[in-house]
Amino acid sequence: MSKPRHFVLAAGGTGGHMVPAAALAAELMKRGHYVALVSDERGVRFPGLFEGIQTHILPAGRLGGGPVGYYKAARDMWRGRAMAIELYRTFRPDAVIGFGGYPALPALLGAFARKIPTAVHEQNAVLGRVNRLVARKVDAIATSYAKVERLKETYNEKTHLVGNPVREEVLAIRARPFPLLEEDSIFRVLVTGGSQGASVLSKVVPDGLSMLPVAFRRRLQVTHQARPEDIEACRAKYKELDIAADLATYLPDLPEHLSWSHVVIARAGASTLAELTCAGRPAILVPLPSATDDHQTVNAREMTMAGGARTINQRDFTPVELAKQMQRLGLDPAALQNAAVRARGCGRPDAARDLADLVESLGDKPNELQIGVPLPAKFPEKAAFA
């Protein structure tokens, strides 16, 4: 085991940022290091990801809203930077790693001020706004895709392809065979809109599945994650159509549902795609059209071109089109198995390990805050820094 070090992970509060940060945290702690998390109110309360880890909330304004909005954002960022610097005086990180989202920016600005080594991890196939802002100054850029749009060629020397880390429960699925599918067996469908759900899936999927041939429709077992405001109407629709379905607003045991799914209908968020490809599960993807820089459409390209997924633009996502794609995937077990193999081929199961290796390399040289200063004997399990 390498010498214990201290790392700060900074991430915005959505699942796309928090899941890979949690996977890296788990890998670093397994290696004997100390980890602290910087995020916003949503991030520090993300269920089941950061138990037993120091968590800190720093103010971070979001750019927008005209001159007044920009002034408020700059003021909050500056406050967050000052608070990050104070945090670093006590925690003394060897490196600070940003995962995107505005809450990551004050932590990185504080690290630049204290000359602490830094890296960013980009989950999407398009470099995000915060990562673009800091790309010139960070020491390393870790990517999830071989080609990342809006990433300048001048940064190639410090760019490393590692993939997008996923939870160990998802990695475990990779070692299992694809669920047995016979002509008259249950066909399991998982519908998920990511950490925030997706209303369009609740509106279209039940009607689309109802258009499948009767023999196929009767074999369906659907698990559907819906938004709270959509769940009752969606549940009633499945019941009206006589389709077996379990609904929830949040699936804490998502890896278990993923392990026995034959097809997944989902958005094309970074964490969703990382989990689908690591597990090797065919998918019908509906990218979020309002995603910044249309990054979900770009995310879906690799898996779709490989033959592991079918992508439907939201404007074309109708019950008829969904039924057509479901029949192509579901009525030919050999084709479905082939799609699973192709999806699996896009996975990068060693992402957490490779990202941890990169992060450790940043901490090889002690930073100025550590010299001659003893490490604390014990860290609190949780801390509020405000």
Side-chain angles (χ1 to χ4, degrees):
M1 185 178 70
S2 58
K3 179 183 176 182
R5 299 169 187 166
H6 296 178
F7 296 100
V8 168
L9 310 187
T14 64
H17 301 306
M18 302 304 290
V19 170
L24 175 62
E27 178 66 22
L28 290 172
M29 290 190 296
K30 188 164 63 176
R31 300 182 184 196
H33 302 305
Y34 297 102
V35 175
L37 169 72
V38 168
S39 189
D40 56 13
E41 292 280 358
R42 297 171 303 165
V44 299
R45 290 177 173 80
F46 217 91
L49 290 184
F50 290 93
E51 295 299 323
I53 293 178
Q54 275 198 61
T55 58
H56 304 271
I57 300 170
L58 301 184
R62 186 178 181 87
L63 298 177
V68 174
Y70 280 102
Y71 169 76
K72 290 180 178 179
R75 180 192 61 193
D76 289 342
M77 291 288 180
W78 199 253
R79 283 182 56 229
R81 173 185 177 274
M83 292 165 67
I85 291 171
E86 185 62 29
L87 169 63
Y88 301 157
R89 288 196 179 102
T90 56
F91 189 72
R92 302 187 308 281
D94 291 85
V96 176
I97 301 89
F99 285 83
Y102 285 102
L105 189 52
L108 290 166
L109 294 176
F112 297 153
R114 299 300 299 177
K115 295 182 171 55
I116 300 169
T118 55
V120 292
H121 178 268
E122 179 55 59
Q123 301 88 49
N124 294 299
V126 181
L127 196 66
R129 288 179 180 174
V130 168
N131 285 348
R132 289 202 299 271
L133 283 172
V134 300
R136 183 177 63 85
K137 295 199 69 173
V138 297
D139 298 289
I141 301 170
T143 67
S144 302
Y145 293 88
K147 181 179 179 182
V148 177
E149 295 185 3
R150 307 199 69 168
L151 177 61
K152 294 180 180 179
E153 291 186 7
T154 52
Y155 302 145
N156 283 351
E157 287 189 6
K158 62 179 179 181
T159 298
H160 308 264
L161 173 62
V162 300
N164 196 7
V166 299
R167 293 168 284 182
E168 290 187 2
E169 301 94 318
V170 175
L171 285 177
I173 302 172
R174 193 173 178 85
R176 306 177 196 170
F178 187 70
L180 182 65
L181 183 63
E182 297 177 342
E183 192 170 320
D184 58 350
S185 62
I186 294 175
F187 191 97
R188 295 183 173 90
V189 180
L190 174 62
V191 184
T192 174
S195 62
Q196 299 179 71
S199 291
V200 68
L201 300 184
S202 297
K203 293 174 182 176
V204 173
V205 172
D207 286 331
L209 297 182
S210 75
M211 293 180 178
L212 296 172
V214 174
F216 186 13
R217 189 170 70 244
R218 287 175 176 169
R219 295 166 52 204
L220 295 177
Q221 175 61 57
V222 180
T223 297
H224 189 131
Q225 179 226 349
R227 294 175 68 92
E229 62 267 31
D230 300 327
I231 191 167
E232 291 307 323
C234 189
R235 181 179 285 118
K237 192 69 174 178
Y238 278 119
K239 185 176 181 180
E240 174 191 333
L241 298 169
D242 197 26
I243 296 173
D246 294 321
L247 286 86
T249 57
Y250 178 69
L251 298 172
D253 53 348
L254 181 64
E256 182 62 26
H257 292 292
L258 185 62
S259 71
W260 51 246
S261 296
H262 294 105
V263 168
V264 179
I265 303 172
R267 287 296 196 192
S271 288
T272 296
L273 287 175
E275 292 180 347
L276 289 171
T277 55
C278 274
R281 291 298 180 268
I284 294 172
L285 302 173
V286 187
L288 176 66
S290 61
T292 306
D293 301 317
D294 196 23
H295 66 255
Q296 288 203 4
T297 298
V298 186
N299 288 350
R301 285 178 188 168
E302 181 181 68
M303 189 177 175
T304 301
M305 291 179 68
R310 298 175 184 272
T311 297
I312 306 174
N313 292 328
Q314 183 163 311
R315 64 178 178 274
D316 302 320
F317 186 58
T318 63
V320 172
E321 183 61 25
L322 175 61
K324 184 192 307 181
Q325 298 300 338
M326 279 292 297
Q327 287 187 77
R328 289 176 178 171
L329 278 172
L331 294 178
D332 185 347
L336 189 66
Q337 179 76 44
N338 183 54
V341 171
R342 291 173 179 270
R344 189 178 187 276
C346 296
R348 295 183 173 89
D350 297 325
R353 182 201 68 188
D354 293 344
L355 182 56
D357 287 347
L358 175 63
V359 166
E360 281 187 328
S361 73
L362 296 175
D364 281 341
K365 184 178 180 180
N367 71 66
E368 62 184 30
L369 294 180
Q370 293 177 294
I371 298 173
V373 182
L375 297 177
K378 185 179 179 181
F379 290 89
E381 288 191 357
K382 292 213 172 189
F385 192 83

